[in-house]
Amino acid sequence: MIPTNRAAASSLRRSSIHVHSIPRPLLATDVSSSTKYARTFQTKASVTGAMVCQPRMLVQPVVSRRRFATAVQNTLSSERKPHFDKILIANRGEIACRVIRTAKKLGIKTVAVYSEVDANSLHVLEADEAYCIGPAPSAESYLRMDKIIDVCHRSGAQVANVPVSYGFLSENAKFAERLAEEGIVFIGPPSSAIVSMGSKRSRDVQPFCTAAGVPCVPGYHGVNQDADLLFTEAEKIGYPVLIKAIHGGGGKGMRVVSSASQFMDALASAQRESLKSFGDADVLVEKYIERPRHIEVQVFADTLGNAVSLWERDCSVQRRNQKIIEEAPAPGLSPDLRADLSAKAVAAAKAVNYVGAGTVEFIFDNDTEKFYFMEMNTRLQVEHPVTEMITGLDLVEWQLEVAAGNPLPLSQVQIPLVGHAFEARIYAENPRNDFLPDSGPLLYLDTPKPTHIFAPPIPSLPHNDLCSELDSVKRSPDTSTHVAPSMRLEQGFTQGAQIGVFYDPMIAKLVVHGRDRSSALRALRRALEEYKVVGVSTNVEFLRMLAGNGAFIDGEVETGFIKKHYEDLFPAVESPSPELLAQAALFIALREHPIQSTGLSTPWSTLTSRRFGGDVCERTISIQPDDASADPTRVSLKSTYPGHFDITVHSATPKTFTGVSARLVSPTRLSTTLNGSSTETTIVSQRPPPSHPASRATNTMERLHVFSASGTKTTLAIPPPAYLLSLGQDVLTSSKGALRAPMPSLVVEVKVSIGDRVEKGQPVVVLESMKTETVLRAEVAGVVDAVACAKGEMVEEGRELVNIKEDE
């Protein structure tokens, strides 16, 4: 059966708006059974012609023979083994989509797995086959080895494609061993290498680091996980210390502890998060270097003993111990330091007979200019596209080549290092609220148009047998070659998709490449200006500020960059200008009248509600910033004749605009000529949830998200009328001591019971959303008089969880 969903899926990928109008294949009626149903797609004509949704069909597993796929030029050997015919991708989101694109390019069929909440996800649509493997929690779906192995057998996939991705089972040695026992190829290093280098315990990796001449950060890396012992070791090391999950990544299971009083709570939280994310609660404790840079080297090795460095990346700018922007190469490195880092990373890989893609991570101390081995991630990482951009390579294709038993496509001396690349991670989170993750539907999504799907090709350098290993990596970036700015968009969600609470809140990755660092930064800023999201809070505005920050432009990066430059990155929110309030009022007035169509029209569709009262109409609209404490501003509109208005903004200093022309180009685009300047502004309305009674809280009001031509987003609120406020007040009456869920979350722990006495600042409830824990603390001192949640319960945003009666 020929899979034919490609046209529809490609259309989804190309168009970032109105994707909800594209029909999707119907789901099997029973997705609760882990692998009872699989889906295939009908002929191309049925998808692109009538666009009629077809039901999923049962798939009988067919064991395929390994066949030849697209050839890849190989300078190290004239013989080449064929790729596998079908691979299973044991992941989700944008990385699963990324792997599928390369597989399609090579003619390899793909099998996706998904949890019940991911049934309509983009990776499910793009794959040739897809199987449900369980409920939403990762422990019941994406971390279930038995279910994934069962799908491999049922689908006929010969390969489990995991370390091409990240998270879930991507660094699980036991999973690699289980696959080998089942006769399934694991794309990645041998389990022995995962055990040796995938662990973050220095006692595990110390022998290999010593052999490679790489020092490790001092700390406790033992097996004993007794809390009192770990506390004692932290006292010996000296604060600040870093608690870090042994098998962690992405900032999960990691806590910085500044004092002894914080240690036990931080330890318990890190262990819980580690267990849920990686299935292992073990942690290590290390000295926390206070002004470090995070520099990592991408290495690749084959089964024939060849290993190369594909240069380094700088991932220093982080929040919540997780990267948000990465670049390659790392700014400010001399050729000698680049060579030293690369040589040691390759030596570490060779010491454990490594195979496939790996990332050797180093902490670089800005104060001493020394670097220390931190860990080796035995997989490709989220930020691998920046390496692809400066080398012109497809690293997923390299993984498939190595898995097939072929040598590395290029030798070290042949690998290019051209230009500069950045990757910005678009997250559903609120940077002004300590980057707290957000969840909800992507009500509106408009993205910049990518110039490329894969990295633009860069000619490889000539092979040179006379070049020494050290000289082959002693390189400066080539910034003399003309490079046209390019941009890729790696995304796993489209408009209408739901950003849930069970997984990482990353929406997409913007990847840009330029001739040099300043050119790449210009391209990044432009792309961020064109990225618009409504429905969840995002970090897009923060990324724009970061990319335009003077210290970041100068390459003065460190892991404490955000804290150090906080005031510059989070300037005071300015009051909306009279011009912006006038545009918002025009949008509200014009949306109630039909948009003129270019086709045949009738008076019944084109005449407005003013036609019986003459051409002159007046209206006053109240608008306020997205802040419950802000006072509304009245805006008066007077329609002088169709499409033209006189506007008065009754702010502290009233301002009047006369003869303003305005029209709605589309339901979300307003064209105006204001103060002699013609502009087109994107304005998106977000209605409040029906379950939220009217109040002075802005999340119970209609909100208007206004995107300026420069990409700046301003959110305004439309206050409800007085009678609705009166009705809502009775519903929302609550005490000062009420603690509410800040987002849809899972209750991890309730630390109090009715009648308990608590002090202000005391931990009361622990919540989890998108693998991140949030501790709700008492805002007043008093006695608990109500507990409205229980451990393991899902709670919606705004729900009252605990009420504390304040001391009088």
Side-chain angles (χ1 to χ4, degrees), residues 487-507:
M487 191 271 286
R488 291 165 58 185
L489 181 61
E490 306 277 330
Q491 62 182 358
F493 301 96
T494 50
Q495 181 170 300
Q498 183 80 18
I499 306 298
V501 301
F502 293 98
Y503 313 116
D504 189 85
M506 186 166 66
I507 299 172

Side-chain angles (χ1 to χ4, degrees), residues 545-781:
M545 295 298 296
L546 176 62
N549 180 270
F552 187 78
I553 292 172
D554 293 339
E556 299 171 3
V557 291
E558 58 182 274
T559 57
F561 187 92
I562 294 176
K563 183 178 181 180
K564 183 176 182 179
H565 300 280
Y566 189 89
E567 291 185 2
D568 294 332
L569 296 172
F570 294 97
V573 179
E574 297 181 358
S575 299
S577 67
E579 289 79 4
L580 189 141
L581 293 173
Q583 289 176 323
L586 284 168
F587 173 81
I588 293 172
L590 289 172
R591 71 180 176 181
E592 298 174 0
H593 306 300
I595 299 173
Q596 297 287 344
S597 64
T598 56
L600 181 65
S601 61
T602 69
W604 305 108
S605 64
T606 58
L607 291 179
T608 71
S609 57
R610 299 192 303 268
R611 60 187 181 275
F612 298 117
D615 293 332
V616 177
C617 176
E618 295 188 21
R619 180 177 179 183
T620 299
I621 299 170
S622 292
I623 305 174
Q624 71 178 65
D626 189 19
D627 181 357
S629 63
D631 294 324
T633 299
R634 293 184 301 112
V635 182
S636 299
L637 297 172
K638 181 178 181 180
S639 175
T640 55
Y641 60 95
H644 290 76
F645 301 84
D646 290 341
I647 307 171
T648 300
V649 179
H650 301 280
S651 53
T653 305
K655 188 167 186 178
T656 299
F657 306 94
T658 58
V660 176
S661 66
R663 67 187 180 94
L664 279 180
V665 180
S666 75
T668 58
R669 284 194 300 155
L670 174 72
S671 176
T672 59
T673 301
L674 191 69
N675 280 345
S677 174
S678 296
T679 59
E680 196 166 282
T681 307
T682 298
I683 303 179
V684 182
S685 169
Q686 181 180 6
R687 303 280 183 177
S691 60
H692 286 199
S695 73
R696 298 194 183 278
T698 55
N699 66 340
T700 69
M701 305 178 187
E702 178 187 5
R703 283 181 280 188
L704 298 181
H705 303 273
V706 185
F707 297 89
S708 69
S710 64
T712 301
K713 178 183 178 182
T714 303
T715 300
L716 305 172
I718 312 301
Y723 77 92
L724 280 181
L725 285 175
S726 178
L727 291 173
Q729 188 63 35
D730 294 337
V731 180
L732 293 171
T733 300
S734 61
S735 69
K736 184 179 177 182
L739 294 177
R740 292 182 170 83
M743 71 194 83
S745 308
L746 177 71
V747 179
V748 174
E749 185 179 4
V750 181
K751 291 178 171 287
V752 296
S753 301
I754 295 176
D756 288 355
R757 174 164 186 82
V758 296
E759 299 299 327
K760 184 177 181 180
Q762 180 177 331
V764 176
V765 179
V766 180
L767 302 176
E768 180 191 331
S769 182
M770 295 143 179
K771 299 183 182 178
T772 300
E773 286 194 354
T774 301
V775 179
L776 300 185
R777 299 177 182 273
E779 297 181 359
V780 298

